Amino acid sequence: MDETVAEYIRRTVLKMPRDEIKMMLQKWGFLSEAQLQTLNFHQQKDNISQEVVQLCEVNPLNSYFFLDNHIYQNKRMWSVYQMKKSGEEEEYFDIADFKKKFKGRIRSALKNVTITFKEYEDNAIWIRVAWGTPHKKPNQYKPSYVVYHSQTPYVFISASVLKSNLPLLCQALIVASNYRDIREMELRSHSLNSLKDIVFKRYSQNFQTYSPKPVQGWNVEAENADRRIVHENRSVKERIHRLNQESFGCGPQPKLEFAQYRLDTMFKSDPKMDVLDKKEPFRCLVKFSSPHLLESLKSLAPLGMADAPLSPLLTCITHKARNYFKIREKKESFVSP
Amino acid sequence: AQERQEQLQEREKFLKSRIQELRQRRDALREKVRQAVSELGNLGIASEPDPREVLEWKIQKCRELLRLFRLTGISGKLSPHGISLSLHTSFEGSLLDSFHLELQERGDSGRFWLCRHSVPPFIPLERLARELLPRNPRQFLGILCRHLNTFVGRREQLRKLQEEFPDSVQVLSQNSLCNFLSFRYRIPAESSGEFQEFRAQLRYRDPTGTRPDDVTAVTGDGVAVPEHSELLRRLPLHRALRQIHDTTAGTTTTG
C-alpha cells in the first residue's frame, strides 16, 4: 500500500472521536465484520489506527478513500449545479461508461489525481477526487465530493478549498453524463439531503387534493384540553395557520442555514426626511441565519412576530430552489440574474 | 414480431368479448333498476324525503365519486391558482405513490402551463409539458401517467424481488428510472443442495414500457440461459424468479 494512503488512513482514524470509531468504521463498510471483530477498541487511538491500517493492507479493494466522508458529513457546504441537455433524450444510463468518461476527462488534464466512486442504494453515485499538481501527489486531506443521481440534471458538489479545479470537475461531469452545459444554482446548505429534497421535489408542498381520510382540522381546543384556558381571536389564529400552511405546506421543511438577499434598490422614504440626497440605488446585503431557517420562518406568523402571509421573497425559497437572491429595482417584482 | 402481432390480436379479441359481456350485464342491471322503480311507484310511496337525509345522501354520493376518481389514477380540483391535479400510481392492485401538478391557464387562450409539481427530476416532465401541454393537455396527462405508473411499477418489482429473495439476489447496478438493472441470483440445484450462480441484465428501451426489451440471463461462466431470460421478459421480476426457483428445484409450477 502506498505510504501516503496508509498515512491518510492512520490520520483519519485518529481524528475520530474514540467512542465513535467502531460505528464510523462500520458505516465505511470497507472492512468486513469479521475484521472489525478483531480490533481492540479499548487501547490507545494510536494503536487502533495502526491496526486499521494493517487490516486495510490485506483488503484487495481500494475504495478506502471514503473513510473521511462520515466524519465531516454535516460540516461540509454543498452547492447544487444544474446541467442542460443537448436536446437528445438518453435512453439509459450506463454507469461503467460514466466512470470511464469522468476519469478520462480529468486524467487528460491532470495526472496526479485520486478518483474513487461509490454507489449507494438510493441511486446516489458518490465521487471523491483528491487533487494534486504536476509535481505533487494528490492531497488526500482536502478532497472534493460530488454526488450525482443518474438520469437527473442535478449535481451536488462539495468543493475543496482548491477552487481552481472546479472548472475541470464541471467539464468532466458534463462529458461523463452526456450533457451540454452546467451552471451553479443559487442554492447552498450543509444538509445534502435537504438540498436533494428541494430539487427532487421531495418536500411537502401544499397541493389542493382530495384525500379519503378527513383532513385534520387544526383544532385549538384539541391542542389544549385545559378548559380553564379560553382562546381569544381563534378565527384570527386559524386564518394565520391556514395562510402559513399554504406557504409552507404541512410537513417538515428542508434544512437550510441561511438566505441571502443582495439589494440594489431605491430607498423609499419621505422626501422631507432627505435620507439619501443622491438618487442612486441603495445597496446592501440582508442575510437571515438560523440552525433551521425554514422552520423558523414558518413559526414567525403563529408566534405573532410577523404578519401572515409572509413576504413571497421568503416563502419562494423552496419553490424557486434558491437561497441567494439579487433584488433590483423593477416595479414591484424582483429580478433574478 | 409475428408472435407479438398474434398476441395483440388475441388481446383485442379478448377485450372485445369482455366489452360485450359488460354491456350485457349493464343492460340487465338497468332492467332491474327500472323494474324496482316501477314497483316502488306502484306501492305509492310519495312521502317527502327528509332534506337532511337527502343532503347526507348527496354527500355520500360525492365521496364515492371522488374515491372512484382516485382509483382511476387521476383526480383534480380547481385551486385558487388554477387546476390542481393528482396522479395516483398503482401496481398489481396496490395504490402507491401520488404525484401532484398545478396547471394555470394563460388568460382565456385555453392553453395551460405547468406551475408547480412534485414529480421527480428523472421523469421527462419539462419536455412533455413543452411538447404537449399547450395544445393537448389530455394527451400530456395520459402520457405522463404512463411514465409515472411504469416507473413506479418497475421500482416496485425491484423492491419485491429484493424483499422475497434477500439472500439469493444481489443487485449489481440500477439507475434512477429503474429502466436498467443488472443483478446476480443463485438457485439451489435440484437435490445436491449446492447453488448455481447466474447473472441477469434487463433494459427497458421505452420508458413507458411495462416489459423489458433486452434481457440476458447467463450462468457464472457466461453461458446463456434462454429459459430464464424468457421468464424475466414475460413476468414481473419477483414472479419470474419465483418460477425459476420452482422449476429448478423440481417442484411443480403453480399459477
Side-chain angles (χ1 to χ4, degrees), chain A residues 87 89 91-95 119-123 149-154 199-201 203 205-212 246 319, chain B residues 63 66-67 70 77 79-80 84 86 100-102 115-122 124 127 172-177 179-180 203 205:
Chain A
E89 278 307 309
E91 285 181 346
Y92 35 76
F93 176 79
D94 185 345
I95 188 159
E119 290 148 75
Y120 286 86
E121 270 162 13
D122 60 347
N123 285 312
H149 285 249
S150 54
Q151 298 163 317
T152 68
Y154 299 105
V199 294
F200 294 169
K201 307 273 184 204
Y203 63 99
Q205 303 181 59
N206 189 40
F207 285 104
Q208 307 247 338
T209 58
Y210 167 71
S211 59
E246 275 177 24
H319 175 49
Chain B
R63 282 213 187 100
L66 286 168
R67 248 186 241 132
R70 195 155 189 270
K77 190 176 175 196
S79 74
S84 190
S86 299
H100 307 281
L101 301 174
E102 209 169 75
C115 202
R116 293 190 298 153
H117 67 88
S118 67
V119 175
F122 40 80
R127 177 178 66 86
L172 295 169
S173 180
Q174 59 176 109
N175 59 10
S176 302
L177 264 176
N179 62 353
F180 175 78
R203 200 164 260 171
R205 292 235 198 83

Side-chain angles (χ1 to χ4, degrees), chain A residues 79-85 98 123-125 146-157 173-174 177 179 181-187 192 195-201 318-321, chain B residues 117 119-123 126 176:
Chain A
S79 300
V80 190
Y81 288 72
Q82 188 174 20
M83 299 189 284
K84 277 203 155 40
K85 264 249 175 259
F98 174 85
N123 285 312
I125 303 163
V146 177
V147 178
Y148 177 60
H149 285 249
S150 54
Q151 298 163 317
T152 68
Y154 299 105
V155 186
F156 306 89
I157 300 182
L173 282 166
I174 43 180
S177 52
Y179 278 81
D181 197 6
I182 184 170
R183 68 166 184 107
E184 188 177 359
M185 292 173 69
E186 305 288 344
L187 183 63
L192 176 63
L195 291 175
K196 287 190 194 182
D197 285 345
I198 293 176
V199 294
F200 294 169
K201 307 273 184 204
T318 43
H319 175 49
K320 292 214 182 283
Chain B
H117 67 88
V119 175
F122 40 80
I123 304 281
E126 271 91 33
S176 302

